[in-house]
Coordinates of all heavy atoms in Angstrom, one line a residue:
V1 N 19.7 -4.5 -5.6 CA 20.2 -4.6 -7.0 C 21.6 -5.2 -7.0 O 22.0 -6.0 -7.8 CB 20.1 -3.3 -7.7 CG1 20.9 -3.3 -9.0 CG2 18.7 -2.9 -8.0
A2 N 22.4 -4.8 -6.0 CA 23.8 -5.2 -5.9 C 24.0 -6.5 -5.2 O 25.1 -7.0 -5.1 CB 24.6 -4.1 -5.1
S3 N 22.9 -7.2 -4.9 CA 23.0 -8.5 -4.1 C 23.7 -9.6 -4.9 O 24.2 -10.5 -4.4 CB 21.6 -8.9 -3.7 OG 20.7 -9.2 -4.8
H4 N 23.5 -9.6 -6.2 CA 24.2 -10.5 -7.1 C 24.1 -10.0 -8.6 O 23.7 -8.9 -8.8 CB 23.6 -11.9 -7.0 CG 22.2 -12.0 -7.4 ND1 21.8 -12.5 -8.6 CD2 21.1 -11.7 -6.7 CE1 20.4 -12.4 -8.6 NE2 20.0 -12.0 -7.5
G5 N 24.6 -10.7 -9.5 CA 24.7 -10.2 -10.9 C 23.5 -10.2 -11.8 O 23.6 -9.8 -12.9
W6 N 22.3 -10.7 -11.3 CA 21.1 -10.7 -12.1 C 20.9 -9.4 -12.8 O 20.4 -9.4 -14.0 CB 19.9 -11.1 -11.3 CG 19.3 -12.4 -11.4 CD1 18.0 -12.7 -11.3 CD2 20.0 -13.7 -11.7 NE1 17.8 -14.1 -11.5 CE2 19.0 -14.7 -11.7 CE3 21.3 -14.0 -11.9 CZ2 19.3 -16.0 -12.0 CZ3 21.6 -15.4 -12.2 CH2 20.6 -16.3 -12.2
V7 N 21.1 -8.3 -12.2 CA 20.8 -7.0 -12.8 C 21.6 -6.8 -14.1 O 21.2 -5.9 -14.9 CB 21.0 -5.9 -11.8 CG1 22.5 -5.6 -11.6 CG2 20.3 -4.6 -12.2
H8 N 22.7 -7.5 -14.3 CA 23.4 -7.4 -15.6 C 22.9 -8.3 -16.7 O 23.5 -8.2 -17.8 CB 24.9 -7.7 -15.3 CG 25.5 -6.8 -14.2 ND1 25.8 -5.5 -14.5 CD2 25.9 -7.1 -13.0 CE1 26.3 -5.0 -13.4 NE2 26.4 -5.9 -12.4
L9 N 21.9 -9.0 -16.4 CA 21.3 -9.9 -17.5 C 20.0 -9.3 -18.0 O 19.2 -8.8 -17.3 CB 20.9 -11.3 -16.9 CG 22.1 -12.0 -16.3 CD1 21.6 -13.4 -15.7 CD2 23.2 -12.3 -17.3
A10 N 20.0 -9.2 -19.4 CA 18.8 -8.7 -20.1 C 17.5 -9.4 -19.6 O 17.6 -10.6 -19.2 CB 19.0 -8.9 -21.6
P11 N 16.5 -8.7 -19.5 CA 16.2 -7.3 -19.9 C 16.4 -6.2 -18.8 O 15.9 -5.1 -19.0 CB 14.8 -7.4 -20.3 CG 14.1 -8.3 -19.4 CD 15.2 -9.4 -19.1
W12 N 17.1 -6.5 -17.7 CA 17.3 -5.5 -16.7 C 18.1 -4.3 -17.1 O 19.1 -4.5 -17.9 CB 18.1 -6.1 -15.5 CG 17.3 -7.1 -14.7 CD1 17.5 -8.5 -14.6 CD2 16.2 -6.9 -13.8 NE1 16.6 -9.1 -13.8 CE2 15.8 -8.1 -13.2 CE3 15.5 -5.7 -13.4 CZ2 14.8 -8.3 -12.3 CZ3 14.5 -5.9 -12.5 CH2 14.1 -7.1 -12.0
R13 N 17.8 -3.2 -16.6 CA 18.6 -2.0 -16.8 C 18.7 -1.2 -15.4 O 17.7 -0.9 -14.8 CB 18.0 -1.0 -17.8 CG 18.1 -1.6 -19.2 CD 17.7 -0.6 -20.3 NE 16.5 0.3 -20.0 CZ 15.2 0.0 -20.2 NH1 14.9 -1.2 -20.7 NH2 14.3 0.8 -19.8
W14 N 19.9 -1.0 -14.9 CA 20.1 -0.3 -13.7 C 20.8 1.0 -13.9 O 21.9 1.0 -14.6 CB 20.8 -1.2 -12.7 CG 21.3 -0.5 -11.4 CD1 22.6 -0.4 -11.0 CD2 20.5 0.1 -10.4 NE1 22.6 0.2 -9.8 CE2 21.4 0.5 -9.4 CE3 19.1 0.2 -10.2 CZ2 20.9 1.2 -8.2 CZ3 18.7 0.9 -9.1 CH2 19.6 1.3 -8.1
E15 N 20.3 2.1 -13.5 CA 20.9 3.4 -13.6 C 21.3 3.8 -12.2 O 20.5 4.4 -11.4 CB 19.9 4.4 -14.2 CG 19.4 4.0 -15.5 CD 18.2 4.9 -16.0 OE1 17.8 5.8 -15.3 OE2 17.6 4.6 -17.0
P16 N 22.6 3.6 -11.8 CA 23.0 3.9 -10.4 C 22.9 5.4 -10.1 O 22.7 5.7 -9.0 CB 24.4 3.3 -10.3 CG 24.8 3.0 -11.7 CD 23.6 2.9 -12.6
E17 N 23.2 6.2 -11.1 CA 23.2 7.7 -10.8 C 21.8 8.1 -10.4 O 21.6 9.0 -9.5 CB 23.6 8.5 -12.1 CG 24.9 8.1 -12.6 CD 24.9 6.8 -13.5 OE1 23.8 6.5 -14.1 OE2 25.9 6.2 -13.6
S18 N 20.7 7.6 -11.0 CA 19.4 8.0 -10.7 C 18.7 7.1 -9.7 O 17.6 7.3 -9.2 CB 18.5 8.1 -12.0 OG 18.4 6.9 -12.6
G19 N 19.3 5.9 -9.5 CA 18.7 4.9 -8.6 C 17.5 4.3 -9.2 O 16.6 3.9 -8.5
R20 N 17.4 4.1 -10.6 CA 16.2 3.6 -11.2 C 16.5 2.2 -11.8 O 17.5 2.0 -12.5 CB 15.8 4.5 -12.4 CG 15.3 5.9 -11.9 CD 15.1 6.9 -13.0 NE 14.5 6.4 -14.2 CZ 13.2 6.6 -14.4 NH1 12.5 7.3 -13.6 NH2 12.6 6.1 -15.5
L21 N 15.6 1.3 -11.5 CA 15.7 -0.1 -12.0 C 14.6 -0.3 -13.0 O 13.4 0.0 -12.7 CB 15.6 -1.1 -10.9 CG 15.6 -2.6 -11.2 CD1 17.0 -3.0 -11.8 CD2 15.2 -3.4 -10.0
A22 N 14.9 -0.7 -14.2 CA 13.9 -0.9 -15.2 C 14.1 -2.2 -16.0 O 15.2 -2.7 -16.0 CB 13.9 0.3 -16.2
R23 N 13.0 -2.6 -16.6 CA 13.1 -3.8 -17.5 C 11.8 -3.8 -18.4 O 10.8 -3.3 -18.0 CB 13.3 -5.1 -16.8 CG 12.2 -5.4 -15.8 CD 12.4 -6.7 -15.1 NE 12.0 -7.8 -15.9 CZ 12.5 -9.0 -16.0 NH1 13.6 -9.3 -15.4 NH2 12.1 -9.9 -16.8
A24 N 12.0 -4.4 -19.6 CA 10.9 -4.7 -20.4 C 10.1 -5.9 -19.9 O 10.7 -6.8 -19.4 CB 11.4 -5.0 -21.8
E25 N 8.8 -5.8 -20.0 CA 7.9 -6.8 -19.5 C 6.9 -7.1 -20.5 O 6.4 -6.2 -21.3 CB 7.2 -6.4 -18.2 CG 8.1 -6.3 -17.0 CD 8.5 -7.7 -16.5 OE1 7.7 -8.7 -16.6 OE2 9.6 -7.8 -15.9
R26 N 6.4 -8.4 -20.5 CA 5.3 -8.8 -21.4 C 4.1 -9.0 -20.4 O 4.2 -9.9 -19.6 CB 5.6 -10.0 -22.1 CG 4.5 -10.5 -23.1 CD 4.8 -11.8 -23.8 NE 6.2 -11.9 -24.3 CZ 6.7 -11.2 -25.3 NH1 6.0 -10.3 -25.9 NH2 8.0 -11.3 -25.7
I27 N 3.1 -8.2 -20.6 CA 1.9 -8.4 -19.8 C 0.7 -8.3 -20.8 O 0.5 -7.4 -21.6 CB 1.7 -7.3 -18.8 CG1 2.9 -7.3 -17.8 CG2 0.4 -7.4 -18.0 CD1 3.0 -6.2 -16.8
G28 N -0.2 -9.3 -20.7 CA -1.4 -9.4 -21.5 C -1.1 -9.3 -23.0 O -1.8 -8.7 -23.8
G29 N 0.0 -9.9 -23.5 CA 0.3 -9.9 -24.9 C 1.1 -8.7 -25.4 O 1.6 -8.7 -26.5
G30 N 1.2 -7.7 -24.6 CA 2.0 -6.5 -25.0 C 3.3 -6.4 -24.2 O 3.4 -6.9 -23.1
V31 N 4.2 -5.7 -24.8 CA 5.5 -5.4 -24.2 C 5.6 -3.9 -23.9 O 5.3 -3.1 -24.7 CB 6.7 -5.9 -25.1 CG1 8.0 -5.5 -24.5 CG2 6.6 -7.4 -25.4
G32 N 6.0 -3.7 -22.6 CA 6.2 -2.3 -22.2 C 7.4 -2.3 -21.2 O 8.1 -3.3 -21.0
T33 N 7.6 -1.1 -20.6 CA 8.7 -1.0 -19.6 C 8.1 -0.7 -18.3 O 7.2 0.1 -18.1 CB 9.6 0.2 -20.1 OG1 10.1 -0.1 -21.4 CG2 10.8 0.3 -19.1
V34 N 8.7 -1.3 -17.3 CA 8.4 -1.0 -15.9 C 9.6 -0.5 -15.2 O 10.7 -1.1 -15.3 CB 7.8 -2.3 -15.1 CG1 7.5 -2.0 -13.7 CG2 6.6 -2.8 -15.9
T35 N 9.5 0.6 -14.4 CA 10.6 1.2 -13.7 C 10.3 1.4 -12.3 O 9.1 1.7 -11.9 CB 10.9 2.6 -14.4 OG1 11.1 2.4 -15.7 CG2 12.1 3.2 -13.7
V36 N 11.2 1.1 -11.4 CA 11.1 1.3 -10.0 C 12.2 2.2 -9.4 O 13.3 2.0 -9.9 CB 10.9 0.0 -9.2 CG1 12.2 -0.8 -9.3 CG2 10.5 0.2 -7.7
A37 N 11.9 3.1 -8.5 CA 12.9 3.9 -7.9 C 12.4 4.1 -6.5 O 11.3 3.7 -6.1 CB 13.0 5.3 -8.6
Q38 N 13.2 4.8 -5.6 CA 12.7 5.1 -4.3 C 13.3 6.4 -3.8 O 14.4 6.8 -4.2 CB 12.9 4.0 -3.3 CG 14.3 3.7 -3.0 CD 14.4 2.5 -2.0 OE1 15.5 1.9 -1.9 NE2 13.4 2.1 -1.3
H39 N 12.6 7.1 -2.9 CA 13.0 8.3 -2.3 C 13.5 8.1 -0.9 O 14.2 8.8 -0.3 CB 12.0 9.4 -2.4 CG 11.6 9.7 -3.8 ND1 12.4 10.2 -4.8 CD2 10.4 9.5 -4.4 CE1 11.8 10.3 -5.9 NE2 10.5 9.9 -5.7
D40 N 12.9 7.0 -0.3 CA 13.3 6.6 1.1 C 13.0 5.1 1.2 O 12.3 4.5 0.3 CB 12.5 7.4 2.1 CG 11.0 7.1 2.1 OD1 10.6 6.0 2.5 OD2 10.3 8.0 1.7
P41 N 13.6 4.4 2.2 CA 13.5 3.0 2.3 C 12.1 2.4 2.5 O 11.9 1.2 2.4 CB 14.4 2.6 3.5 CG 15.2 3.8 3.7 CD 14.5 5.0 3.2
T42 N 11.1 3.2 2.8 CA 9.7 2.7 3.1 C 8.8 2.9 1.9 O 7.6 2.6 2.0 CB 9.1 3.3 4.4 OG1 9.1 4.7 4.3 CG2 10.0 2.8 5.6
H43 N 9.3 3.5 0.8 CA 8.4 3.7 -0.3 C 9.1 3.4 -1.6 O 10.3 3.7 -1.8 CB 8.0 5.2 -0.4 CG 7.1 5.6 0.7 ND1 7.7 6.1 1.9 CD2 5.8 5.7 0.9 CE1 6.7 6.4 2.8 NE2 5.5 6.1 2.2
L44 N 8.4 2.8 -2.6 CA 8.9 2.5 -3.9 C 8.0 3.3 -4.9 O 6.8 3.4 -4.7 CB 8.8 1.1 -4.2 CG 9.6 0.1 -3.4 CD1 9.3 -1.3 -3.7 CD2 11.1 0.4 -3.6
V45 N 8.6 3.9 -5.9 CA 7.8 4.6 -6.9 C 7.9 3.8 -8.2 O 9.0 3.5 -8.7 CB 8.4 6.0 -7.2 CG1 7.6 6.7 -8.3 CG2 8.3 6.8 -5.9
V46 N 6.8 3.3 -8.7 CA 6.7 2.4 -9.8 C 6.1 3.2 -11.0 O 5.0 3.8 -10.8 CB 5.9 1.1 -9.5 CG1 5.9 0.2 -10.7 CG2 6.4 0.4 -8.3
Q47 N 6.7 3.2 -12.1 CA 6.2 3.8 -13.3 C 6.2 2.8 -14.4 O 7.0 1.8 -14.4 CB 7.1 5.0 -13.7 CG 7.1 6.1 -12.6 CD 8.0 7.2 -13.0 OE1 9.2 7.0 -13.2 NE2 7.4 8.4 -13.1
W48 N 5.4 3.0 -15.4 CA 5.3 2.1 -16.6 C 5.0 2.8 -17.8 O 4.5 3.9 -17.8 CB 4.3 1.0 -16.3 CG 3.0 1.5 -16.0 CD1 2.0 1.8 -16.8 CD2 2.5 1.8 -14.6 NE1 0.9 2.3 -16.1 CE2 1.2 2.3 -14.8 CE3 3.0 1.7 -13.4 CZ2 0.4 2.6 -13.7 CZ3 2.3 2.0 -12.3 CH2 1.0 2.5 -12.4

C-alpha cells in the first residue's frame, strides 16, 4: 500500500490502524465494497 500514492486516489480507502484496504468495485452491473486484510504475510483475508 505504501509503495506509491495510488492508495490516496478514489475509490481506495486505507485504514493503517486496522491494516484494512478497501474500495468500491463494479462487478456484474452492481457496486459493492471489497476489503482485504492480513494476519500474517502468507495469508490474505478478503471480505465483500
Side-chain angles (χ1 to χ4, degrees):
V1 166
S3 63
H4 61 99
W6 251 214
V7 75
H8 300 290
L9 299 177
W12 290 110
R13 290 189 321 273
W14 170 241
E15 302 167 3
E17 305 80 27
S18 65
R20 294 167 48 99
L21 178 65
R23 60 179 277 144
E25 287 290 327
R26 181 180 321 289
I27 297 175
V31 175
T33 302
V34 177
T35 305
V36 63
Q38 70 181 159
H39 303 295
D40 66 71
T42 60
H43 295 86
L44 297 171
V45 178
V46 182
Q47 297 177 301
W48 54 88

